[in-house]
């Protein structure tokens, strides 16, 4: 019973995180160090609900790097979002 309850809590955390996402697929997000065009979003159920953004890392001029970086950006590190879609 406890295992089922924990799974339900994790699912609710993930649903909450996805509903409150600052960015959508196609948007460009910025952190202190990086810029990324979001291609995939996954919810993670840590102690608190958060999102992990995956996509193409960009140079300051907006061009993709020749060698790609395959690390997610956590929602807590996002400091800016440039919307690709105007309806959110």
């Amino acid at each position: 019973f406890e295992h089922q309850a924990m799974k339900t809590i994790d699912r609710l955390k993930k649903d909450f995180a996805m509903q409150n996402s600052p960015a959508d697929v196609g948007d460009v997000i910025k952190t202190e160090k990086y810029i990324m065009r979001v291609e995939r979003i996954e919810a993670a159920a840590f102690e608190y609900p958060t999102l992990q953004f995956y996509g193409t890392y960009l140079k300051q001029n907006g061009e993709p790097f020749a060698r790609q970086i395959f690390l997610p950006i956590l929602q807590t590190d996002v400091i800016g979002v440039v919307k690709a879609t105007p309806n959110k």
Side-chain angles (χ1 to χ4, degrees), residues 41-65:
I41 304 171
E42 291 184 6
F46 297 121
E47 183 177 334
Y48 52 88
T50 191
L51 297 173
Q52 295 176 322
F53 298 98
Y54 296 86
T56 303
Y57 281 81
L58 306 173
K59 299 177 188 176
Q60 291 294 329
N61 66 2
E63 295 290 322
F65 283 98

